[in-house]
Structure formats: C-alpha cells, structure tokens
Amino acid sequence: MTVPAPDPIPFSNTYARLPDAFHVRLDPDPVPDPSLIELNHDLCRELGIDPLALTPEEWGQVFAGNRILPGSEPLAMAYAGHQFGHFVPRLGDGRAVLLGEVVDVRGRRRDIQLKGSGRTPFSRRGDGRAALGPVLREYLVGEAMHALGIPTTRALAAVSTGEPVLRETALPGAVLTRVAASHVRVGTFQYFAVRGDRAALQQLADHVADRHYPWTREADQPCLALLEAVVEAQARLVAQWMGVGFIHGVMNTDNMAVSGETIDFGPCAFMDGYHPDQVFSAIDTQGRYAYANQPAMAQWNLARLAETLLPLIGSDEKQALEQATDLVNSFSSRFARHWIDVMGLKLGLSMADKSDIALIQGLLQAMQQGQVDFTLCFRHLCDAAEDETHDEPVRRLFAQPEALVAWAQQWRSRLRQDPLPPGERAVRMRRVNPACIPRNHRVEQVIAAALEAEDFEPFRRLLGVVRNPWVLAEADQAYARPPAPTERVYQTFCGT
Ligand code: AMP
Ligand code: MG
C-alpha cells in the first residue's frame, strides 16, 4: 500500500472563509522564467514545510506563482489607508496575493503571501510587480529583525522572474514570499469603517481577536480589550525599533499590522550615526516618519484604528469615545515603559525605571552631537561595562569626548547601585546590543552585486551575518564598520 505524499505546504485557510467583501480571489500572474534565489529552510521547518519536498526548480515555480499547490486559495486582500496623512478609501493588495495560511509547529497560524505576483483589481496604475532590489532588502531586513528578537514578517523565499520591471529604468523583476502572523492592517478596519459596513467590521474584529488576541474574546468589552491589545503590541514594537535604530520609513495605516509585527519594509533603514530627526525615505519629504517621530505616528495610526472600532465598543457613543480615547492616550505611558526597559537593558541595568530617563537621554544627546554610530556605541559600552579601562573605543566615537566622559561617570555610579556583577552584565548587554545590523551601504552593495553581475553570494553572506547579530566572526568584522564617507547612503527608495 502506498501512502500518498503529504501536500508540500499544509494549507488551512481562514481569511478565505470571510465574506466576499474582504477579498478578491485570483491566481497570481505567471512569470516567464522563474528561478529560486533563496529559500528560507529554517522558516520552512518552522511552518511544517519540508524544504526538500520539492526541487529548487519546483519551489521556484511555486514561489513565482506559476504553480498553485493543493489547498492554496489565492486572494488579494481589500484595505484602505492613510498615506502620509491622506486617506485613500481603497488600496488593497495591488501586487500581492495571499496563497493561504498554515498552522506552524508551535500552533501559530501564519499567512503565506506572494509580493510582486502581478496585477490585481487593486493595482490602480501599478504593474503588480516588484523589483529585485527591494525584494532582497525586505529579505535581509526581515531576517535581521527576527534575529534581533523584534516581531516581524519574514521572507520565506525570493524568486527572480526573468522579466524586467520598469521603474526609472528597467530592473530585473522578482517575487518575495512573505510570512506574517496575518496581513490585517489598521487600513483593513478603515476599509469597512468608511463603507459603514458594521457587520464586516465585527467579523474582522472577531477574526483578529481569534488569531492574535484570543483572551480579549472573554473580556466584558471585547472590542475595547482588542484595541488595548493592539495599542500595547504597537507600543512594545516601536520601542524595540528605537532600541536598534530602525526607521520604518512608511508608517502609513496600511503598513501597520494589527498583529504587532513589523510589516511592509519599503524604504526602511537602520541608522548609522544617531540623530533623532534622521529620515531616509526619499518620499518622506516632511520627515513625518523620522526616527524620533515613530512613537507619535504609531499613536496617530492607533487613533485611526480606534475610530473604526467605536461602533463596536458599546451602544453609549459618548462612553465608547471616552474609553477609546483613554486607551489611545495610554500609548504614551506604555511606550515610555517599554522604551525604558529596552534602553535600560542596553545600558546594562537589570531594572530601569523612570528615574533612569535622564541617564538614557544624556547618552543620546551626547551621541547626537557629531552623530555617533548608534550600533557601535552601544556595542562598545558592553566592554566598558565589564572593565573601566575599556572606555577608549567608546570615547573614540565621539568628536567631543568630554561629553561622554561626564556621562560615563553618571553611568558608572548608577551601575554601582545595580546588583549585577560586571562580567554577567557585559554578557547580558551583548545579547541586546547587536554587533551588526544590516547597514544601508552593505544592503546597497549586495543589491548592486545582484543587479550588475547576478552575483547573489554577497547577499547570502550578509544574510548569514545578520542572522547572528550578537557575535561577529573574525572574518566578518568589516560588517560592523560604519560606512566610509563615500559609501554613505543618504536616501532610500520604495522601488514600487
Ligand atoms: P506600499 O507603498 O508598498 O505599502 O503600497 C501602497 C499601495 O500601493 C498598496 O495598495 C500596494 O498594493 C500598491 N502598490 C505598490 N506598488 C505597486 C505596484 N508595483 N503595482 C500595483 N500596486 C502597487
Ligand atoms: Mg504597504
């Protein structure tokens, strides 16, 4: 008796069961010559997918959208969104299709989505495609975020299509396969709110609660509890971004996942030199999504989410508004708490509180003058925490070392009140202060090698480095270095 082979991807879909208003069913547009660039074997296994179940050629067909596997129910999701503050009532997946969902080996439901898979009814004037550069960038940054312990969507595969896409010039096309806790965005709620579709809003809220925040179902006011859960998840997420110098770049409401995962890395970047006003995105001309503005922008987005939920919160409109407003306002103190935790750990404090804000700000202010390298400064502080004679590498980062010297005295006196022994403290600090982040100039270099010479080795090597950010092998030390003046990247582009 022969046992039939299991499906290569064990799909089990729930979003597809939601009513027609939620999505448009359609197959991805096939591409002429798919070729698998990278398959994320670890993530495959996490999802219960055997990466060796198909050949690389077959996976290339699957993750280009040319071959639809059993159990997949491809669809484009509907959503709206505030883009740079302006509301667009109908955005939706213009170049993505959700293939379906799987329940991973830990029992968590995850979406598998193709990005760059062709036109959909939501494409407007776009071609539905993605260029190779942004696909490689999203792959690298997602894996880096994951390794840094920050909730994030991740890349499962990258495939080249064999078809050029037209941007300012013709560029090689690619498809990214993305895994997310879900692709429901603040903008998904806005899509139904602006249409006054209360029934759909309720179904969406229930879907999100079941998937991400099941305990809120039992609350006296489930929708209020759901809002609170999302507010809390975003406060934590943005604090974690701030702790690694991450700048999302396009925090529009359609790019904010209600799951609390980082999503839609467009022109995102990690900063090298610290400055709170740092912006990379070429389209963010007003600095709306600058580094230090990110908490306020997350809160703004959450206020938009709260507005959509008002009719579901309770029949007393005034009371619902007050309750939702209080929750949105609570973002500030929630964020502050997470930020103090994150930054306190970075400074080696086993328990930081409000009284440590001045210490944290003191370092950041000193770093701001002369734009000291964010990652290196905190990494070198790990050594300094272990041994006072190791201050020199930190000091050398500062154009005016006096500022650092004065700060270090306060830091040391604070550390003396902390119970951790110095050796243990340094070990812990090296687990929260990465040796390496995907620096922009490195990302640009690997993209250039892929575009100019179809050489993916630099991409793979950088991928290996960012997947293990806490230690850097001797041979990889160059990846820790900030860009030389000629290598500096001043702007990043969506590439859409
Ligand atoms: P993004 O800036 O990538 O978050 O996308 C914003 C909106 O534009 C979403 O509705 C996308 O689906 C859509 N979009 C972005 N790029 C393209 C493209 N090349 N073709 C069609 N739609 C696109
Ligand atoms: Mg988007």
Side-chain angles (χ1 to χ4, degrees), residues 79 185 254-255 264:
Y79 54 85
R185 305 141 192 276
D254 52 304
N255 292 336
D264 276 7

Side-chain angles (χ1 to χ4, degrees), residues 192-275:
F192 296 111
V194 72
R195 285 163 181 76
D197 190 343
R198 206 197 128 118
L201 267 176
Q202 186 68 60
Q203 283 170 308
L204 183 63
D206 292 346
H207 178 87
V208 168
D210 287 343
R211 264 180 101 153
H212 305 302
Y213 309 107
W215 64 91
T216 63
R217 292 284 243 166
E218 312 303 323
D220 288 342
Q221 289 178 284
C223 233
L224 200 63
L226 178 66
L227 178 61
E228 179 173 14
V230 179
V231 170
E232 176 62 19
Q234 286 298 332
R236 180 165 176 270
L237 177 67
V238 178
Q240 287 182 288
W241 289 356
M242 304 299 275
V244 293
F246 178 74
I247 302 169
H248 181 284
V250 216
M251 291 174 67
N252 293 333
T253 57
D254 52 304
N255 292 336
M256 183 189 262
V258 292
S259 65
E261 283 185 340
T262 314
I263 194 169
D264 276 7
F265 311 95
C268 68
F270 290 80
M271 54 180 172
D272 297 302
Y274 172 75
H275 199 291

Side-chain angles (χ1 to χ4, degrees), residues 176-471:
L176 181 83
T177 304
R178 174 162 79 177
V179 171
S182 84
H183 283 86
V184 177
R185 305 141 192 276
V186 169
T188 319
F189 282 88
Q190 292 180 293
Y191 181 84
F192 296 111
V194 72
R195 285 163 181 76
D197 190 343
R198 206 197 128 118
L201 267 176
Q202 186 68 60
Q203 283 170 308
L204 183 63
D206 292 346
H207 178 87
V208 168
D210 287 343
R211 264 180 101 153
H212 305 302
Y213 309 107
W215 64 91
T216 63
R217 292 284 243 166
E218 312 303 323
D220 288 342
Q221 289 178 284
C223 233
L224 200 63
L226 178 66
L227 178 61
E228 179 173 14
V230 179
V231 170
E232 176 62 19
Q234 286 298 332
R236 180 165 176 270
L237 177 67
V238 178
Q240 287 182 288
W241 289 356
M242 304 299 275
V244 293
F246 178 74
I247 302 169
H248 181 284
V250 216
M251 291 174 67
N252 293 333
T253 57
D254 52 304
N255 292 336
M256 183 189 262
V258 292
S259 65
E261 283 185 340
T262 314
I263 194 169
D264 276 7
F265 311 95
C268 68
F270 290 80
M271 54 180 172
D272 297 302
Y274 172 75
H275 199 291
D277 301 335
Q278 179 72 57
V279 176
F280 287 101
S281 169
I283 54 172
D284 190 3
T285 47
Q286 308 288 313
R288 180 179 170 92
Y289 300 129
Y291 173 77
N293 252 359
Q294 296 185 115
M297 287 298 106
Q299 187 173 25
W300 192 88
N301 291 347
L302 291 164
R304 307 289 78 76
L305 175 66
E307 285 163 2
T308 72
L309 293 175
L310 285 177
L312 306 183
I313 288 176
S315 48
D316 182 336
E317 271 178 45
K318 190 161 162 276
Q319 195 194 17
L321 181 62
E322 269 170 24
Q323 290 176 315
T325 305
D326 285 350
L327 269 183
V328 172
N329 288 341
S330 78
F331 177 89
S332 309
S333 56
R334 291 169 194 268
F335 170 78
R337 203 189 64 237
H338 288 294
W339 183 80
I340 292 167
D341 283 351
V342 166
M343 300 307 287
L345 287 174
K346 287 178 79 69
L347 291 182
L349 304 176
S350 57
M351 193 87 98
D353 62 33
K354 276 192 184 143
S355 62
D356 293 308
I357 292 177
L359 183 72
I360 302 168
Q361 293 289 15
L363 176 62
L364 293 175
Q365 272 152 20
M367 287 167 68
Q368 183 177 335
Q369 300 158 13
Q371 308 199 11
V372 171
D373 190 82
F374 189 85
T375 307
L376 275 187
C377 183
F378 283 100
R379 185 68 180 186
H380 288 339
L381 279 178
C382 307
D383 302 328
E386 189 161 18
D387 184 339
E388 294 202 13
T389 64
H390 288 172
D391 280 7
E392 187 50 27
V394 195
R395 236 187 339 242
R396 256 185 288 151
L397 297 172
F398 287 76
Q400 293 146 326
E402 314 80 54
L404 191 265
V405 173
W407 178 83
Q409 277 178 359
Q410 294 168 31
W411 179 49
R412 289 240 152 72
S413 86
R414 174 66 180 86
L415 291 186
R416 279 192 285 276
Q417 296 158 23
D418 193 276
L420 281 179
E424 168 69 15
R425 186 188 328 279
V427 169
R428 289 196 191 190
M429 285 174 74
R430 290 190 194 101
R431 280 191 220 128
V432 292
N433 292 305
C436 189
I437 39 116
R439 291 187 184 269
N440 298 322
H441 68 294
R442 289 288 177 187
V443 174
E444 296 297 337
Q445 282 166 9
V446 307
I447 290 173
L451 293 180
E452 287 157 21
E454 288 183 49
D455 179 3
F456 292 99
E457 273 322 302
F459 164 73
R460 293 199 181 98
R461 182 146 179 227
L462 181 58
L463 190 57
V465 170
V466 300
R467 276 177 170 160
N468 192 7
W470 311 119
V471 280

Side-chain angles (χ1 to χ4, degrees), residues 79 83 91-95 115 122-124 126-129 167 250 254-255 264 494 496:
Y79 54 85
Q83 299 191 304
L91 287 166
D93 287 334
R95 52 160 173 170
K115 188 169 173 183
F122 301 108
S123 296
R124 293 170 289 159
D127 60 2
R129 293 297 180 190
R167 297 296 179 256
V250 216
D254 52 304
N255 292 336
D264 276 7
C494 272
T496 49

